[in-house]
PDB file of all heavy atoms in Angstrom:
ATOM      1  N   ASP A   1       0.808  -1.224   0.000  1.00  0.00           N
ATOM      2  CA  ASP A   1       0.000   0.000   0.000  1.00  0.00           C
ATOM      3  C   ASP A   1       0.839   1.270   0.000  1.00  0.00           C
ATOM      4  O   ASP A   1       0.292   2.365  -0.086  1.00  0.00           O
ATOM      5  CB  ASP A   1      -0.913   0.014   1.235  1.00  0.00           C
ATOM      6  CG  ASP A   1      -1.850  -1.165   1.270  1.00  0.00           C
ATOM      7  OD1 ASP A   1      -2.520  -1.391   0.244  1.00  0.00           O
ATOM      8  OD2 ASP A   1      -1.886  -1.870   2.289  1.00  0.00           O
ATOM      9  N   ASP A   2       2.177   1.134   0.128  1.00  0.00           N
ATOM     10  CA  ASP A   2       3.047   2.302   0.285  1.00  0.00           C
ATOM     11  C   ASP A   2       2.488   3.228   1.361  1.00  0.00           C
ATOM     12  O   ASP A   2       2.286   4.425   1.150  1.00  0.00           O
ATOM     13  CB  ASP A   2       3.216   3.068  -1.026  1.00  0.00           C
ATOM     14  CG  ASP A   2       4.137   2.357  -1.997  1.00  0.00           C
ATOM     15  OD1 ASP A   2       5.087   1.703  -1.534  1.00  0.00           O
ATOM     16  OD2 ASP A   2       3.898   2.451  -3.214  1.00  0.00           O
ATOM     17  N   ALA A   3       2.205   2.650   2.515  1.00  0.00           N
ATOM     18  CA  ALA A   3       1.581   3.425   3.589  1.00  0.00           C
ATOM     19  C   ALA A   3       1.999   2.874   4.951  1.00  0.00           C
ATOM     20  O   ALA A   3       2.361   1.703   5.081  1.00  0.00           O
ATOM     21  CB  ALA A   3       0.064   3.351   3.463  1.00  0.00           C
ATOM     22  N   TRP A   4       1.930   3.735   5.929  1.00  0.00           N
ATOM     23  CA  TRP A   4       2.094   3.290   7.308  1.00  0.00           C
ATOM     24  C   TRP A   4       0.752   2.754   7.780  1.00  0.00           C
ATOM     25  O   TRP A   4      -0.292   3.338   7.493  1.00  0.00           O
ATOM     26  CB  TRP A   4       2.526   4.454   8.206  1.00  0.00           C
ATOM     27  CG  TRP A   4       3.969   4.763   8.017  1.00  0.00           C
ATOM     28  CD1 TRP A   4       4.510   5.733   7.235  1.00  0.00           C
ATOM     29  CD2 TRP A   4       5.063   4.062   8.608  1.00  0.00           C
ATOM     30  NE1 TRP A   4       5.869   5.683   7.297  1.00  0.00           N
ATOM     31  CE2 TRP A   4       6.242   4.672   8.130  1.00  0.00           C
ATOM     32  CE3 TRP A   4       5.167   2.980   9.475  1.00  0.00           C
ATOM     33  CZ2 TRP A   4       7.512   4.235   8.509  1.00  0.00           C
ATOM     34  CZ3 TRP A   4       6.421   2.546   9.852  1.00  0.00           C
ATOM     35  CH2 TRP A   4       7.578   3.179   9.373  1.00  0.00           C
ATOM     36  N   ALA A   5       0.783   1.651   8.486  1.00  0.00           N
ATOM     37  CA  ALA A   5      -0.438   1.068   9.043  1.00  0.00           C
ATOM     38  C   ALA A   5      -0.360   1.152  10.565  1.00  0.00           C
ATOM     39  O   ALA A   5       0.668   0.834  11.162  1.00  0.00           O
ATOM     40  CB  ALA A   5      -0.589  -0.385   8.606  1.00  0.00           C
ATOM     41  N   VAL A   6      -1.439   1.602  11.166  1.00  0.00           N
ATOM     42  CA  VAL A   6      -1.570   1.647  12.619  1.00  0.00           C
ATOM     43  C   VAL A   6      -2.732   0.731  12.960  1.00  0.00           C
ATOM     44  O   VAL A   6      -3.857   0.956  12.503  1.00  0.00           O
ATOM     45  CB  VAL A   6      -1.842   3.081  13.120  1.00  0.00           C
ATOM     46  CG1 VAL A   6      -1.935   3.100  14.634  1.00  0.00           C
ATOM     47  CG2 VAL A   6      -0.770   4.037  12.624  1.00  0.00           C
ATOM     48  N   GLU A   7      -2.456  -0.326  13.724  1.00  0.00           N
ATOM     49  CA  GLU A   7      -3.476  -1.333  14.035  1.00  0.00           C
ATOM     50  C   GLU A   7      -3.853  -1.282  15.507  1.00  0.00           C
ATOM     51  O   GLU A   7      -2.997  -1.173  16.370  1.00  0.00           O
ATOM     52  CB  GLU A   7      -2.957  -2.731  13.729  1.00  0.00           C
ATOM     53  CG  GLU A   7      -2.607  -2.955  12.289  1.00  0.00           C
ATOM     54  CD  GLU A   7      -2.128  -4.372  12.016  1.00  0.00           C
ATOM     55  OE1 GLU A   7      -1.984  -5.168  12.970  1.00  0.00           O
ATOM     56  OE2 GLU A   7      -1.895  -4.685  10.844  1.00  0.00           O
ATOM     57  N   LEU A   8      -5.148  -1.390  15.782  1.00  0.00           N
ATOM     58  CA  LEU A   8      -5.658  -1.466  17.146  1.00  0.00           C
ATOM     59  C   LEU A   8      -6.299  -2.833  17.326  1.00  0.00           C
ATOM     60  O   LEU A   8      -7.105  -3.266  16.501  1.00  0.00           O
ATOM     61  CB  LEU A   8      -6.693  -0.369  17.408  1.00  0.00           C
ATOM     62  CG  LEU A   8      -7.369  -0.385  18.778  1.00  0.00           C
ATOM     63  CD1 LEU A   8      -6.355  -0.153  19.899  1.00  0.00           C
ATOM     64  CD2 LEU A   8      -8.468   0.656  18.825  1.00  0.00           C
ATOM     65  N   SER A   9      -5.920  -3.518  18.400  1.00  0.00           N
ATOM     66  CA  SER A   9      -6.503  -4.830  18.685  1.00  0.00           C
ATOM     67  C   SER A   9      -6.729  -4.966  20.183  1.00  0.00           C
ATOM     68  O   SER A   9      -6.132  -4.247  20.980  1.00  0.00           O
ATOM     69  CB  SER A   9      -5.586  -5.961  18.204  1.00  0.00           C
ATOM     70  OG  SER A   9      -4.378  -5.975  18.947  1.00  0.00           O
ATOM     71  N   GLU A  10      -7.612  -5.879  20.528  1.00  0.00           N
ATOM     72  CA  GLU A  10      -7.758  -6.219  21.938  1.00  0.00           C
ATOM     73  C   GLU A  10      -6.642  -7.206  22.256  1.00  0.00           C
ATOM     74  O   GLU A  10      -6.449  -8.183  21.539  1.00  0.00           O
ATOM     75  CB  GLU A  10      -9.123  -6.829  22.219  1.00  0.00           C
ATOM     76  CG  GLU A  10      -9.358  -7.001  23.702  1.00  0.00           C
ATOM     77  CD  GLU A  10     -10.815  -7.224  24.048  1.00  0.00           C
ATOM     78  OE1 GLU A  10     -11.648  -7.350  23.151  1.00  0.00           O
ATOM     79  OE2 GLU A  10     -11.095  -7.274  25.243  1.00  0.00           O
ATOM     80  N   ALA A  11      -5.877  -6.922  23.300  1.00  0.00           N
ATOM     81  CA  ALA A  11      -4.757  -7.783  23.655  1.00  0.00           C
ATOM     82  C   ALA A  11      -5.270  -9.057  24.327  1.00  0.00           C
ATOM     83  O   ALA A  11      -6.286  -9.041  25.025  1.00  0.00           O
ATOM     84  CB  ALA A  11      -3.795  -7.044  24.576  1.00  0.00           C
ATOM     85  N   VAL A  12      -4.548 -10.142  24.083  1.00  0.00           N
ATOM     86  CA  VAL A  12      -4.903 -11.437  24.667  1.00  0.00           C
ATOM     87  C   VAL A  12      -3.830 -11.820  25.690  1.00  0.00           C
ATOM     88  O   VAL A  12      -2.681 -11.401  25.576  1.00  0.00           O
ATOM     89  CB  VAL A  12      -5.027 -12.521  23.572  1.00  0.00           C
ATOM     90  CG1 VAL A  12      -6.172 -12.190  22.624  1.00  0.00           C
ATOM     91  CG2 VAL A  12      -3.739 -12.673  22.791  1.00  0.00           C
ATOM     92  N   PRO A  13      -4.191 -12.612  26.692  1.00  0.00           N
ATOM     93  CA  PRO A  13      -3.196 -13.010  27.693  1.00  0.00           C
ATOM     94  C   PRO A  13      -2.041 -13.794  27.065  1.00  0.00           C
ATOM     95  O   PRO A  13      -2.239 -14.600  26.153  1.00  0.00           O
ATOM     96  CB  PRO A  13      -3.985 -13.893  28.662  1.00  0.00           C
ATOM     97  CG  PRO A  13      -5.412 -13.475  28.475  1.00  0.00           C
ATOM     98  CD  PRO A  13      -5.528 -13.100  27.026  1.00  0.00           C
ATOM     99  N   ALA A  14      -0.847 -13.531  27.555  1.00  0.00           N
ATOM    100  CA  ALA A  14       0.339 -14.269  27.110  1.00  0.00           C
ATOM    101  C   ALA A  14       0.254 -15.702  27.649  1.00  0.00           C
ATOM    102  O   ALA A  14      -0.474 -15.970  28.617  1.00  0.00           O
ATOM    103  CB  ALA A  14       1.598 -13.579  27.623  1.00  0.00           C
ATOM    104  N   PRO A  15       0.986 -16.622  27.049  1.00  0.00           N
ATOM    105  CA  PRO A  15       0.975 -17.999  27.546  1.00  0.00           C
ATOM    106  C   PRO A  15       1.369 -18.068  29.027  1.00  0.00           C
ATOM    107  O   PRO A  15       2.245 -17.317  29.483  1.00  0.00           O
ATOM    108  CB  PRO A  15       2.026 -18.700  26.674  1.00  0.00           C
ATOM    109  CG  PRO A  15       2.124 -17.863  25.439  1.00  0.00           C
ATOM    110  CD  PRO A  15       1.838 -16.459  25.875  1.00  0.00           C
ATOM    111  N   ALA A  16       0.729 -18.947  29.760  1.00  0.00           N
ATOM    112  CA  ALA A  16       0.988 -19.084  31.201  1.00  0.00           C
ATOM    113  C   ALA A  16       2.458 -19.383  31.478  1.00  0.00           C
ATOM    114  O   ALA A  16       3.001 -18.957  32.504  1.00  0.00           O
ATOM    115  CB  ALA A  16       0.098 -20.169  31.788  1.00  0.00           C
ATOM    116  N   ALA A  17       3.120 -20.088  30.588  1.00  0.00           N
ATOM    117  CA  ALA A  17       4.532 -20.438  30.785  1.00  0.00           C
ATOM    118  C   ALA A  17       5.420 -19.194  30.847  1.00  0.00           C
ATOM    119  O   ALA A  17       6.513 -19.234  31.416  1.00  0.00           O
ATOM    120  CB  ALA A  17       5.001 -21.365  29.673  1.00  0.00           C
ATOM    121  N   TRP A  18       4.962 -18.089  30.268  1.00  0.00           N
ATOM    122  CA  TRP A  18       5.757 -16.869  30.290  1.00  0.00           C
ATOM    123  C   TRP A  18       5.804 -16.229  31.667  1.00  0.00           C
ATOM    124  O   TRP A  18       6.635 -15.358  31.918  1.00  0.00           O
ATOM    125  CB  TRP A  18       5.194 -15.861  29.302  1.00  0.00           C
ATOM    126  CG  TRP A  18       5.410 -16.196  27.868  1.00  0.00           C
ATOM    127  CD1 TRP A  18       5.709 -17.417  27.329  1.00  0.00           C
ATOM    128  CD2 TRP A  18       5.327 -15.302  26.774  1.00  0.00           C
ATOM    129  NE1 TRP A  18       5.799 -17.335  25.975  1.00  0.00           N
ATOM    130  CE2 TRP A  18       5.569 -16.039  25.596  1.00  0.00           C
ATOM    131  CE3 TRP A  18       5.048 -13.948  26.657  1.00  0.00           C
ATOM    132  CZ2 TRP A  18       5.568 -15.462  24.337  1.00  0.00           C
ATOM    133  CZ3 TRP A  18       5.035 -13.373  25.399  1.00  0.00           C
ATOM    134  CH2 TRP A  18       5.301 -14.123  24.251  1.00  0.00           C
ATOM    135  N   ALA A  19       4.918 -16.619  32.571  1.00  0.00           N
ATOM    136  CA  ALA A  19       4.862 -16.014  33.906  1.00  0.00           C
ATOM    137  C   ALA A  19       6.178 -16.181  34.654  1.00  0.00           C
ATOM    138  O   ALA A  19       6.512 -15.363  35.513  1.00  0.00           O
ATOM    139  CB  ALA A  19       3.716 -16.614  34.709  1.00  0.00           C
ATOM    140  N   GLU A  20       6.941 -17.211  34.325  1.00  0.00           N
ATOM    141  CA  GLU A  20       8.212 -17.467  34.997  1.00  0.00           C
ATOM    142  C   GLU A  20       9.366 -16.684  34.387  1.00  0.00           C
ATOM    143  O   GLU A  20      10.463 -16.662  34.957  1.00  0.00           O
ATOM    144  CB  GLU A  20       8.521 -18.964  34.929  1.00  0.00           C
ATOM    145  CG  GLU A  20       7.464 -19.822  35.610  1.00  0.00           C
ATOM    146  CD  GLU A  20       7.681 -21.306  35.381  1.00  0.00           C
ATOM    147  OE1 GLU A  20       8.772 -21.692  34.932  1.00  0.00           O
ATOM    148  OE2 GLU A  20       6.748 -22.071  35.666  1.00  0.00           O
ATOM    149  N   ILE A  21       9.156 -16.040  33.270  1.00  0.00           N
ATOM    150  CA  ILE A  21      10.211 -15.291  32.587  1.00  0.00           C
ATOM    151  C   ILE A  21      10.219 -13.855  33.114  1.00  0.00           C
ATOM    152  O   ILE A  21       9.202 -13.163  33.048  1.00  0.00           O
ATOM    153  CB  ILE A  21       9.982 -15.281  31.062  1.00  0.00           C
ATOM    154  CG1 ILE A  21       9.932 -16.703  30.524  1.00  0.00           C
ATOM    155  CG2 ILE A  21      11.060 -14.461  30.361  1.00  0.00           C
ATOM    156  CD1 ILE A  21       9.497 -16.796  29.076  1.00  0.00           C
ATOM    157  N   PRO A  22      11.360 -13.395  33.629  1.00  0.00           N
ATOM    158  CA  PRO A  22      11.424 -12.017  34.135  1.00  0.00           C
ATOM    159  C   PRO A  22      11.135 -11.006  33.023  1.00  0.00           C
ATOM    160  O   PRO A  22      11.594 -11.154  31.899  1.00  0.00           O
ATOM    161  CB  PRO A  22      12.870 -11.871  34.621  1.00  0.00           C
ATOM    162  CG  PRO A  22      13.372 -13.269  34.789  1.00  0.00           C
ATOM    163  CD  PRO A  22      12.617 -14.118  33.804  1.00  0.00           C
ATOM    164  N   ASN A  23      10.360  -9.990  33.344  1.00  0.00           N
ATOM    165  CA  ASN A  23      10.007  -8.892  32.434  1.00  0.00           C
ATOM    166  C   ASN A  23       9.239  -9.338  31.192  1.00  0.00           C
ATOM    167  O   ASN A  23       9.198  -8.611  30.201  1.00  0.00           O
ATOM    168  CB  ASN A  23      11.257  -8.115  32.015  1.00  0.00           C
ATOM    169  CG  ASN A  23      11.982  -7.523  33.199  1.00  0.00           C
ATOM    170  OD1 ASN A  23      11.361  -7.045  34.146  1.00  0.00           O
ATOM    171  ND2 ASN A  23      13.299  -7.576  33.170  1.00  0.00           N
ATOM    172  N   ALA A  24       8.662 -10.509  31.208  1.00  0.00           N
ATOM    173  CA  ALA A  24       7.879 -10.978  30.058  1.00  0.00           C
ATOM    174  C   ALA A  24       6.558 -10.216  29.986  1.00  0.00           C
ATOM    175  O   ALA A  24       5.996  -9.804  31.002  1.00  0.00           O
ATOM    176  CB  ALA A  24       7.609 -12.473  30.177  1.00  0.00           C
TER     177      ALA A  24
END
């Protein structure tokens, strides 16, 4: 499109396994 795209979405929870990763 030769354009900048700005997308808005509803965020979904990250995988539970990421809870153990610092700063995830």
Side-chain angles (χ1 to χ4, degrees):
D1 300 309
D2 285 326
W4 283 98
V6 182
E7 298 182 355
L8 177 63
S9 66
E10 188 164 5
V12 296
W18 288 19
E20 299 172 14
I21 302 171
N23 301 321

